[in-house]
Amino acid sequence: AACEPLTLGGHSPLDPPLPFPNRTVKRRRADDSAYFMCESRSPPGSPINKALTAPAARALCFVSPTLLVGRRRVTVMNDPRFVTRELVVTGDGSHSLYLPGCDEHYHSVHGALRESRHVFIRHGYDHVIAAAGGRGRILEVGFGTGLNALLTWERTNQGSADIEYTAVEPFPLAVELLLRLNYADSLATPLGGRVFAAMHGCAWGTGVRLGDRFSLAKLQTRIEDFSPGDSYDLVYFDAFSPPVQPELWTLEIFDKLHRCMRRGGVLVTYCAKGAVKRNLRAVGFAIEHPPGPPGKREITRARKR
């Protein structure tokens, strides 16, 4: 869609949000076991910080209800455990959202801002876009709270690249809740709050320009149904964890992303599970293992050869 001039103020109406956003439960562990944690998202002593049996894990919401659609098993998004959300403060002082129904946070309890800056900006944007300069195209799978987009806008203003940012999100959160988050308070520019509000207030499916170097297009759709129109330089893969939404970590999805990226393009994700890395390799990515943020040993960066 063509980008429109930025207007700050009123918000475009959103469809009523479904109770389960596209990035709620994730970052559970770095290897193949679904029942042991590599990065805790809850305080010490929480049951999810301990080794669990499979029944206990399911009781604590490790496995979401699923529905077989054709040959594909799809996560059911109407589980009542995910309706209630609470604003919480993480280890670096930044906000996240907590789901008491399944004892899970949207971001790492060690720090939401710290995690996003480390995974997506330092080992994604700075590794690809900032080093190359010029024009770059970024695709985010899982817009969620908009934190990655906001930090990318901030980083773009500090460099010389012009960024076209496309975010895919099937289940937007309520704007009223999102505007309570304190992410803009940690930015160096006083424009952060207005830009964050504009990101969430702009209409879905319509591009908006946020300054001279950054444009955003939000698409309310599933990545399975997304039809890429560009060749992307960088993909932020910030979806649900594999145990919660396994259909997003498949050969089919990674092959789709691989085909819509330019040669040398990079996909970066918090997840370092062995099965995920094997699927990425199988569709043609070369895998790198950057160190993780506090509380996590490593993350995954995949380069298209």
Side-chain angles (χ1 to χ4, degrees):
C3 291
E4 298 178 347
L6 168 62
T7 56
L8 300 173
H11 303 298
S12 301
L14 294 176
D15 292 333
L18 296 180
F20 205 114
N22 191 30
R23 54 165 294 158
T24 302
V25 184
K26 62 184 182 183
R27 299 162 176 74
R28 295 202 171 277
R29 116 166 227 107
D31 63 21
D32 286 333
S33 170
Y35 305 117
F36 293 81
M37 297 302 174
C38 177
E39 177 186 354
S40 172
R41 302 191 133 224
S42 296
S46 170
I48 68 169
N49 288 321
K50 304 175 183 178
L52 300 175
T53 63
R58 284 191 292 271
L60 282 172
C61 194
F62 276 72
V63 180
S64 295
T66 59
L67 177 67
L68 191 62
V69 178
R71 296 183 178 181
R72 184 165 54 196
R73 186 160 292 279
V74 178
T75 305
V76 177
M77 300 298 181
N78 60 355
D79 192 305
R81 294 173 293 177
F82 302 100
V83 174
T84 302
R85 304 180 183 92
E86 299 175 1
L87 201 68
V88 297
V89 178
T90 62
D92 61 2
S94 61
H95 284 157
S96 185
L97 298 176
Y98 174 65
L99 301 173
C102 63
D103 189 25
E104 183 57 35
H105 298 78
Y106 272 49
H107 307 91
S108 169
V109 296
H110 299 285
L113 271 166
R114 181 184 294 138
E115 177 188 49
S116 289
R117 280 189 169 129
H118 181 93
V119 175
F120 299 103
I121 304 304
R122 178 181 176 185
H123 291 290
Y125 186 97
D126 288 347
H127 188 75
V128 178
I129 304 296
R135 180 176 298 276
R137 293 188 175 97
I138 299 175
L139 173 65
E140 180 177 20
V141 180
F143 183 66
T145 63
L147 176 56
N148 294 334
L150 180 66
L151 295 179
T152 301
W153 169 85
E154 177 192 40
R155 187 69 183 89
T156 300
N157 285 340
Q158 299 167 352
S160 59
D162 294 326
I163 297 300
E164 297 177 10
Y165 194 105
T166 301
V168 175
E169 173 61 68
F171 309 118
L173 292 168
V175 172
E176 293 76 14
L177 175 61
L178 291 163
L179 294 184
R180 294 173 58 196
L181 301 171
N182 67 353
Y183 302 145
D185 297 343
S186 299
L187 303 188
T189 171
L191 292 176
R194 297 175 65 200
V195 169
F196 189 63
M199 284 181 171
H200 289 293
C202 68
W204 291 84
T206 302
V208 60
R209 182 162 290 280
L210 303 170
D212 295 331
R213 298 184 181 276
F214 186 94
S215 63
L216 169 68
K218 302 185 305 182
L219 303 178
Q220 187 174 351
T221 186
R222 302 185 311 157
I223 189 61
E224 299 96 317
D225 303 320
F226 173 58
S227 298
D230 296 307
S231 294
Y232 295 99
D233 303 282
L234 177 60
V235 174
Y236 294 163
F237 199 83
D238 205 12
F240 293 137
S241 67
V244 172
Q245 203 167 28
E247 68 273 15
L248 293 190
W249 303 84
T250 62
L251 289 168
E252 178 184 8
I253 295 298
F254 290 145
D255 181 63
K256 181 176 187 175
L257 293 173
H258 185 272
R259 286 185 282 108
C260 76
M261 295 169 63
R262 68 165 178 82
R263 186 175 299 277
V266 163
L267 179 151
V268 63
T269 182
Y270 62 86
C271 182
K273 288 175 69 72
V276 169
K277 289 184 283 189
R278 287 191 291 273
N279 282 347
L280 287 165
R281 285 194 187 97
V283 300
F285 285 106
I287 305 301
E288 302 170 2
H289 310 91
K296 191 171 183 65
R297 183 178 58 193
E298 64 181 35
I299 61 174
T300 299
R301 187 166 59 210
R303 184 179 297 277
K304 180 175 179 176
R305 292 180 284 209

